[in-house]
Amino acid sequence: MPGDAAVVSRRLLGRIREVMAKPGLPEDRLNVIVRCIAEELQAAVCSCYVMRAGEVLELFATEGLRKSAVHQTRLRVGEGLVGFIAAHPRALALSDAWSHPNFAYRPETGEEPYRSFLGVPIVRTARVAGVLVVQTTETRGFAPEEIEALETVAMVLAELLTAGNLIDRREQIPVDGTALVPLRINGLKLSPGLGVGTAFLHRKVPFVKQLVSEDPEKEAQRFDEALERMHTALDEMLAAEEIGKSEYRDILEAYRMFAADRGWIERIRAHISGGLSAEAAVQRAQEENRARMQAVVDPYIRERLHDLEDLTDRLMLHLMGKDPMERKTLPPHAILIARTFGPADLLDYDLSRVRGVVLEEGSPSMHVAIIARALNIPMVARVPEVVGTIGAGDPVIVDGDNGSVFIRPSEDVADTFVATVRMRLEKQKVYATLRDLPARTRDGALVSLLMNAGLLADLPMLDEVNADGIGLYRTELPFMVRADSPDVDTQTTLYRSVIDQAAGRPVCFRTLDVGGDKMLPYWQNIGEENPAMGWRSIRITLDHPAIMRHQLRALIRASEGRPLSVMFPMIAEVAEFDAARRILDLELARARRRGEPLPRELVVGCMLEVPSLAFQLPQLLRCADFISVGSNDLAQFLFARDRSNQRIAERYDLLSPPFLGFLEGLVEACDAVGKPVSVCGEMAASPVDAMALVGLGFRRLSVNGPAIGPIKAMILSMSAEDTGRVVRKAMRTSAHSLRNSLAGYALDHGIQI
Ligand code: PEP
Ligand code: MG
């Protein structure tokens, strides 16, 4: 492209602005615009393809190709270079288009003389609406600035096509004609529970009307002012009493730092100096961000991009003079619908009215999912096209247990869900009446029911459900949401507050269990092929003993002389447990030397998650004070079944001879030496599984707070000895699963599962 990229882009946008300002039919304007593009970029050809129903790209306007090909030349998504760009929505620049494997020659266009090719997708709200192409006769490459300029123009075209009704959003999504009928869409379950309510579309940012600017300097100034306002507003939010003290603060701190990211700000500034209005420049940066989001697999980076998406919305509202922090008035039973949610968004709403959240994007480790789980708000993510499919006020049901969303459900479906929700509420009342009873089986076996937690927000439930203590405190969250590792003081304050809030009930802290899919922001993603079996958990902390030392130091300090319980995750051999224990001893010695109070009582346990460890039980039981079975990871390794792979999630059952056989041996070995053994994986929270565990001899189960009631009700109605006999007998068979037969046994014997 001749001349400075920003100058050419500005001149081109100026010409486009003039075209748009004059009256005219959208198709006529499009013809003039492709001519302007060809002239300004000194290209022989400029063509615009528009996405039509059935995922077909149709030539809509051209300068340089034969006019008779307009509305005749059509390419399927994936077909030819144009289809290729639509399928992999990013720019494609080729000095010799004919030698590209995807090139599809279309004689009706008369494109024989043209060799080089530059095409960019026309993207609108994360959907490909068309493809814009320039071609030249000479064989030449394209500079990044030229690609950039064409992308800017493509964005303006996206708006023109929409405003002129040349594209219909529904043509880009395969829901043709089904817009108002009941729909069930499956997604990813991020937070369990059932929510019934009406759709509330989260922060709909109004469409940008003024795309092209007359005065880039003025736009840059408007942008700077809006940015400033956004920063001030975020600072105020952080300073707010209730946020300042909560652990959400960490999440919001990271988010605020992100808002100051130079790369993001500079990109927007560059778009403004290229001739876009401040709003259009922000929108352009958002489209780029969304395109990146679709390509990124690294969960940490994806989360950051979600945050950025949310920040962009906020910034846009500041630019438009609207207040993004404005407390939203929700309908009494609201289901929030959004493409994605920033960490602060959920907390902005009146939570007493929120019944569920449905997102188009999202991953299990996204911050808002962690918060939704802590607040018991059902949440389903990765629901395709949900924002375009649900209208504000539509009835919606979120089934967070099964990852389904029912939109405009039929009366029958709605009635069934309402009845289920009611029944669950009734059951909660029954569970509440069991609160003060010990969890004792009919034949007198006492089971200790403990709670799993990972957030301060989980702790009030400890007393609500009257759990015996916390059997698993996952310590990784504060490490995951910060830009750097929390220091000893920060950790001490947090752990102290956990112990304080537990008010005398024991808390078992698990040391840092990150890696695998829980990558930390400040460590490079090391790109392992099998992260679940890779450098994670205790392997990381033993390799970086300073992290372990700081965490253990903080735990010792936080205990302030009170009892302390610690356990180490992912131990594969006793030598690893010994090494971790030695680090703990070093920290105890350090505290002693410095005259700091030591825990009055210290118990040090080991998680059993890696099967190899079970072959060293005698040695392990000599040095560990207790064992806790992490059934989620244990099942992953025993069955060689990746726990995050949905395709094989149901393939093996934990209620099966091999898994129960493994546990039976373990519980016998622990009983023989009088060492406590518990189960703290998800298995313990399922009543029928827990029934089998108690039958096999487990007397400690650690489950999420809401599961305590149902598990206690089950225990009160079972006989440990009778069930044990039945389970042991069934285990000797070669059945794939004992689930049905054990559920049948429970029903026959009035056991509440
Ligand atoms: C487990 O693996 O069962 C467990 C409790 O640990 P996490 O789910 O945190 O890996
Ligand atoms: Mg685990």
Side-chain angles (χ1 to χ4, degrees), residues 510 513 536 609 633 643:
R510 174 175 77 183
D513 185 23
R536 53 174 285 206
E609 303 185 276
D633 273 311
R643 68 189 262 193

Side-chain angles (χ1 to χ4, degrees), residues 472 474 476 510 513 518 536 607 609 629-634 643 680-682:
L472 164 64
R474 293 182 164 103
E476 42 275 3
R510 174 175 77 183
D513 185 23
K518 294 186 247 170
R536 53 174 285 206
M607 286 193 76
E609 303 185 276
V629 178
S631 53
N632 308 336
D633 273 311
L634 181 61
R643 68 189 262 193
C680 65
E682 301 303 323

Side-chain angles (χ1 to χ4, degrees), residues 62-105:
T62 184
E63 175 68 20
L65 297 184
R66 277 191 205 124
K67 298 280 185 213
S68 54
V70 170
H71 298 309
Q72 301 304 317
T73 296
R74 295 171 142 238
L75 293 144
R76 287 189 314 280
V77 169
E79 187 189 11
L81 297 178
V82 169
F84 183 83
I85 293 168
H88 314 84
R90 57 178 175 266
L92 179 67
L94 302 167
S95 54
D96 181 13
W98 290 64
S99 58
H100 190 280
N102 246 66
F103 182 79
Y105 171 54

Side-chain angles (χ1 to χ4, degrees), residues 39 60 111 142 163 172-173 200 216 254 278 341 376 384 421 581 680:
E39 282 169 16
F60 247 61
E111 63 182 325
F142 292 91
Q172 297 143 58
I173 49 172
F200 183 87
F341 239 25
N376 281 322
V421 171
R581 171 79 223 213
C680 65

Side-chain angles (χ1 to χ4, degrees), residues 410-452:
S410 66
E411 244 173 66
D412 298 356
V413 173
D415 288 351
T416 313
F417 276 99
V418 170
T420 311
V421 171
R422 235 180 245 135
M423 203 177 72
R424 286 189 185 181
L425 287 174
E426 289 302 315
K427 276 198 173 165
Q428 290 299 339
K429 282 191 204 144
V430 175
Y431 299 143
T433 64
L434 309 179
R435 181 188 176 280
D436 298 322
L437 294 179
R440 201 186 293 279
T441 62
R442 285 199 282 111
D443 55 342
L446 188 62
V447 180
S448 177
L449 281 185
L450 302 146
M451 202 179 99
N452 292 348

Side-chain angles (χ1 to χ4, degrees), residues 36 187 208 250-251 304 319 399 512 522 613 682:
C36 294
V208 178
D250 280 346
I251 295 180
R304 298 273 77 92
L319 263 175
D399 179 354
L512 192 62
Y522 29 95
L613 190 62
E682 301 303 323

